[in-house]
Each structure stands twice: as C-alpha cells, then as structure tokens.
Amino acid sequence: MSNKKSQDLMDKLVSLCKRKGFIFQSSEIYGGINSCWDYGPLGVELKNNIKQNWWKSMTQFRDDIEGIDASILMHPSVWITSGHVESFADPMVDCKNCKMRFRADEISGNKCPNCGGELTEARQFNLMFKTHMGPVEDEASMVYLRPETAQGIYVNFLNVLAPSRQKLPFGIAQIGKAFRNEISPGNFIFRSREFEQMEMQFFIHPNEDEKWIEYWKEERMKWYLNLGIKKENLRFHQHDKKELAFYAKTAYDIEYNFPFDWKEIEGIHNRTNYDLSRHTQATGKDLSYFNDQTKERFIPYIIETSAGVDRTMLVCLVDGYYEEVVKGEERTVLRLDPKIAPIKAGIYPLVKRDNMPEVAKKIEDKLMPHFKVFYDEGGAIGRRYRRQDEAGTPFGITVDSQTLQDETVTLRERDSMEQIRVKIDDLISILNKKIWGV
Ligand code: GAP
C-alpha cells in the first residue's frame, strides 16, 4: 500500500472510531495528552470481548492454566532483579535544531527526520515510569508502574502452585495494564504509553523448551485466525540476536500487516529460567519445582505468550474495515467477528406506528439477558442499517407488518446484507448458533 493510501485508511479509521464512540484521545477537551487513549461505549465492549475471548481460551477451555490479577505497583526491587532497571531502555537521540526526540534504532542516517538538523549522540533512555508511594517523595519511596505484567506472575509462582495443585507443565495467565514511557509512541493505539497486556507464562521442564515454543506459536496463531483475522495478514518473525530482549533465549513475534507496515502484535518468548533464578537469588526464596515422580528438582523454564489488548483491537478494526458501493451508494462496514462485535444485533421497528415499536421493544427485552442489543427507531430503515454496519453490528432484526400477523421478523446479516424470515421465538437460538456456533 502506498504511504498516502495507508495514511488515508488510518485517518478514516481514527475518524470512525471517534464518530462511533470506539476510541477518543485522552483529556481531549484540554487539548489531549499524547499517546493515551480513552475507550468509548463501543470501544470498551470490543475490548472486553477480546479480553474475555483470550481469558476463556486460556483458563476455561483448558485445565492446565490458572488465572491471576497482580497489582500494578510492585516492590521496586522486583525491577532491579528482573533486569528492567538496568536494561529496559531504548537508544534515544535529540535534534539539536528542532528539539524533537527519536528512537535511534528507528531512523536511518544521522540527520533529523523532521528538519534535517544535527542529532545528538545516542544515549540509553529507561522506559519505566516512576512514582512515589506514601507522602514523602524521596528515593526510598520510589516505585515503578509495571512495564510488563509478567513479573506479577513470577513472584506469585509458589502462591499459585500450591493451592491449584498443578503439575508441570502448567501456566499462569493475567490481563492488566502496563506502562512504558515510549520515546516515539504513535500510529493511533498501536504504541501508547499506557496499554493493556494479555500474558501467559507456561512453566516447563528445561529439556522441553523447543517443543513448547512450537506448540504455543501454533496455538496463538490459531487464536487470531479464530477472531476472523485474515491469514494473509499474519506472519511470524523470529528475532535475531540483535533484537532479542535481555531475558530471552529465542523469541518469535506474531506480526500483522498494518497499513503502516508489518508490525508485532504478540511476542512468544523462551525466557528460560532467567526470571525465576534471579528472583530466587535476590530473595533467598526457593522458586524451584520438585517432580515427585522423577524425584528431580529444577528451576522451570518459561515459555511466555505476550499479546497487547490495544494492538489486537487495532488489528480487528483494520482487518474488518471495508468501504464498498451497494446499489450506487457507498457503505462503510466493520466486518468484526460476531464473537467480539460490541453489539450483536440492532432491533428496528420498520415504522414508528401500528404497534411496531412496542413489539420491537418486547424483542429487545427478550434478547437483552443474552446479547448486547441496540434498539433504534430513528430515520429510514436503510440509514439505520448503515449506522450499525459502521459499528460492526453483525445482525439486524426488523419488525414489519407481517410480524403483527405471524410473529416473524426479518433477520439481516451485515456482511451479505441478506435477509431471512425467522420466528421471534427462535431468535435466541438462531443468534447463539450464528455468534457462538452452538
Ligand atoms: N512480557 C514480555 C513483553 O512485555 P513485549 O514484546 O515488550 O514483551 C508484548 O510486549 C506485547 O505488548 C507486544 O507484542 C504488544 O502487543 C504490547 N505492547 C508493548 N508495548 C506496547 C505499547 N507501547 N503500546 C501498546 N502495546 C504495547
């Protein structure tokens, strides 16, 4: 895609997200704050559906992964032990002329990409946000906002192992906020300074790392395909030595073909026994595992799957965005998978009389406990359909004059725009089948 076309697409998406209530810039009425985003009514539904889908795939549909929700603020020593205080940094350069800052590894040449001015020498910039705990703001009260959720899992390894009675291999999953003082945030919600991660740490015998990294690569790719993301827009990228994070022995990214380039949406890392060994050394608490059958004691290796909630959401929006001409009229449609669509069905009386609104409202009451639905009686029916096409709503239910005679409605599909006639009494089971396949 040309630069202009890809910028156009991103501009259109940002504008749709604002107009339909998916995503707003944080503190907008104060002029906004860079790289922080607020999720509106549709955005929070989409985000929650993505998180719930991930959570269930990890903790409900399998019996070898437990969930956890650790706090954002942790003992500051955790981040010294983990290596983040020393190594979680990006090389930064400043322009001596326009004063803009850049990640040195993201620009080519030695001139400012903004004004062509001279750049400073690169220096390491630590990405962790700092704050203070308690009323005194000194070195001793300093704490970090976590830059990854993973450490909350490692320090709770024994706490989860004992009550869950899990045996290796097993995993611990967590969804939560992470913070990074990125030097060059951007591309809408792709890189921000406050974001959410969905991380799972899988504890294994050290001899089995290659088997499990292959297993998790496959599982995680399947997850995106199951969200309806197009196969041709997804690929793996293996990290070479230069790219590897300081904690990883091997690492693969799942990348998506964004309008602005192929970019990482998830990291799958072999973190070896790096984290558990370091926490053992630092605390004196033995984080090893005893296999009571083989009588072997060892510090488990960890295969990590680390996905971004916000990036997954951007993938779903970009992948689902279509503009098409239908009967000479342009329509914009978000082809979100019904499983994650914020609203599952729009409910419409064809006209605002003849008892149609009352019947439509009764259908809304009936469906509400099962699905997030939206009642709309305002404007021509075609316009109401279009409004929900843009919101990604997969189904439309219309009450018309025939409904009043035989208790049937039309059920319209967003993507094909086909309409079938179904009984009101069958709506719940039909929608369940179409959304969940059951
Ligand atoms: N615990 C390992 C870890 O954090 P990472 O590759 O640095 O690994 C994992 O991050 C995922 O978190 C990324 O693939 C991305 O989806 C998300 N992520 C990282 N930084 C982000 C940012 N600044 N804004 C939005 N998402 C981000």
Side-chain angles (χ1 to χ4, degrees):
M1 206 181 295
S2 72
N3 274 351
K4 161 109 186 61
K5 252 185 156 169
S6 63
Q7 190 53 49
D8 270 4
L9 175 58
M10 285 308 290
D11 288 349
K12 282 179 184 166
L13 197 66
V14 173
S15 144
L16 178 137
C17 283
K18 163 109 203 261
R19 195 170 67 247
K20 300 302 288 187
F22 279 96
I23 302 166
F24 316 121
Q25 191 176 20
S26 167
S27 322
E28 196 186 70
I29 60 170
Y30 281 87
I33 177 168
N34 196 8
S35 74
C36 297
W37 300 95
D38 296 343
Y39 291 83
L42 293 188
V44 68
E45 293 292 338
L46 176 56
K47 209 176 182 207
N48 282 342
N49 291 344
I50 290 169
K51 289 194 280 185
Q52 208 175 65
N53 192 290
W54 183 90
W55 189 252
K56 284 191 173 175
S57 78
M58 289 291 178
T59 67
Q60 184 179 329
F61 301 150
R62 46 191 306 150
D63 58 10
D64 57 354
I65 299 182
E66 305 288 338
I68 190 176
D69 183 16
S71 68
I72 289 171
L73 302 175
M74 301 180 74
H75 195 291
S77 297
V78 167
W79 304 107
I80 298 169
T81 306
S82 69
H84 283 80
V85 169
E86 196 188 323
S87 308
F88 195 58
D90 281 333
M92 179 176 75
V93 288
D94 290 300
C95 173
K96 290 182 182 170
N97 181 41
C98 71
K99 311 291 176 214
M100 276 187 81
R101 288 194 154 162
F102 305 94
R103 254 174 74 171
D105 56 342
E106 282 188 345
I107 55 174
S108 52
N110 54 4
K111 291 272 174 264
C112 170
N114 183 47
C115 72
E118 197 187 334
L119 297 172
T120 58
E121 285 292 311
R123 60 199 186 284
Q124 290 299 315
F125 175 76
N126 194 291
L127 301 184
M128 283 197 293
F129 278 100
K130 295 173 191 154
T131 185
H132 293 272
M133 192 172 258
V136 184
E137 292 196 5
D138 60 9
E139 264 304 294
S141 69
M142 199 196 62
V143 289
Y144 299 97
L145 302 190
R146 67 182 176 195
E148 61 169 8
T149 63
Q151 297 301 327
I153 294 181
Y154 305 145
V155 300
N156 278 297
F157 172 60
L158 296 179
N159 287 338
V160 175
L161 182 65
S164 67
R165 297 172 57 228
Q166 288 279 1
K167 303 234 178 289
L168 254 58
F170 85 100
I172 303 179
Q174 170 166 225
I175 299 177
K177 289 259 184 178
F179 304 82
R180 295 183 189 177
N181 198 2
E182 299 280 1
I183 297 167
S184 50
N187 284 324
F188 197 25
I189 54 172
F190 176 80
R191 180 170 285 121
S192 44
R193 291 189 169 118
E194 174 180 341
F195 55 97
E196 256 180 302
Q197 290 186 315
M198 304 180 279
E199 295 201 305
M200 193 281 301
Q201 314 294 323
F202 205 67
F203 300 87
I204 58 167
H205 188 281
N207 290 347
E208 296 190 326
D209 57 347
E210 280 172 25
K211 172 179 119 186
W212 283 111
I213 202 158
E214 282 309 311
Y215 171 85
W216 279 110
K217 272 172 64 189
E218 221 175 278
E219 283 298 298
R220 295 304 304 142
M221 185 60 95
K222 274 197 251 164
W223 186 75
Y224 291 100
L225 294 172
N226 187 254
L227 287 188
I229 307 306
K230 290 182 215 68
K231 199 172 178 186
E232 63 270 25
N233 286 335
L234 293 164
R235 72 177 188 193
F236 286 110
H237 163 74
Q238 183 171 12
H239 283 207
D240 61 27
K241 280 222 165 69
K242 279 202 314 283
E243 293 171 283
L244 277 179
F246 59 91
Y247 50 70
K249 177 178 155 196
T250 44
Y252 294 86
D253 290 339
I254 296 181
E255 291 187 335
Y256 179 76
N257 187 13
F258 286 103
F260 43 87
D261 209 351
W262 284 93
K263 291 277 182 191
E264 171 191 344
I265 54 173
E266 167 157 357
I268 299 155
H269 310 129
N270 178 356
R271 292 181 74 132
T272 68
N273 58 12
Y274 173 87
D275 298 276
L276 291 185
S277 301
R278 302 251 314 189
H279 287 304
T280 297
Q281 282 158 18
T283 61
K285 296 272 184 296
D286 181 5
L287 300 182
S288 66
Y289 175 82
F290 182 68
N291 183 327
D292 49 16
Q293 285 186 330
T294 62
K295 308 293 175 211
E296 192 186 1
R297 181 171 284 285
F298 56 90
I299 299 192
Y301 266 35
I302 290 167
I303 304 298
E304 168 184 67
T305 69
S306 177
V309 177
D310 315 75
R311 278 192 199 176
T312 306
M313 185 159 161
L314 186 58
V315 165
C316 295
L317 291 168
V318 169
D319 213 68
Y321 184 92
Y322 283 81
E323 287 172 351
E324 52 194 36
V325 178
V326 180
K327 294 185 189 147
E329 241 189 77
E330 231 186 58
R331 83 160 178 157
T332 303
V333 53
L334 266 188
R335 294 205 163 111
L336 297 174
D337 188 285
K339 291 192 286 293
I340 54 165
I343 297 168
K344 306 301 184 203
I347 301 171
Y348 319 104
L350 185 63
V351 289
K352 250 197 281 184
R353 56 183 151 73
D354 302 338
N355 207 32
M356 287 186 208
E358 289 75 10
V359 175
K361 273 276 171 200
K362 274 196 189 135
I363 296 175
E364 185 191 18
D365 288 345
K366 197 176 157 92
L367 297 188
M368 236 183 220
H370 303 269
F371 314 100
K372 173 99 185 141
V373 292
F374 181 76
Y375 175 84
D376 187 5
E377 58 179 29
I381 189 70
R383 295 204 38 207
R384 282 180 271 166
Y385 287 154
R386 295 284 182 273
R387 287 202 287 261
Q388 288 307 310
D389 288 345
E390 270 198 321
T393 305
F395 304 106
I397 296 162
T398 306
V399 170
D400 55 19
S401 51
Q402 194 177 327
T403 312
L404 310 175
Q405 288 156 24
D406 64 5
E407 306 221 317
T408 63
V409 287
T410 62
L411 182 65
R412 173 188 182 267
E413 297 219 358
R414 172 197 66 201
D415 297 347
S416 65
M417 292 182 288
E418 269 171 21
Q419 299 192 19
I420 52 171
R421 244 200 126 91
V422 302
K423 286 203 188 116
I424 294 173
D425 278 349
D426 292 341
L427 273 172
I428 292 171
S429 66
I430 292 173
L431 287 177
N432 267 327
K433 200 152 205 89
K434 284 183 182 291
I435 297 167
W436 304 111
V438 290

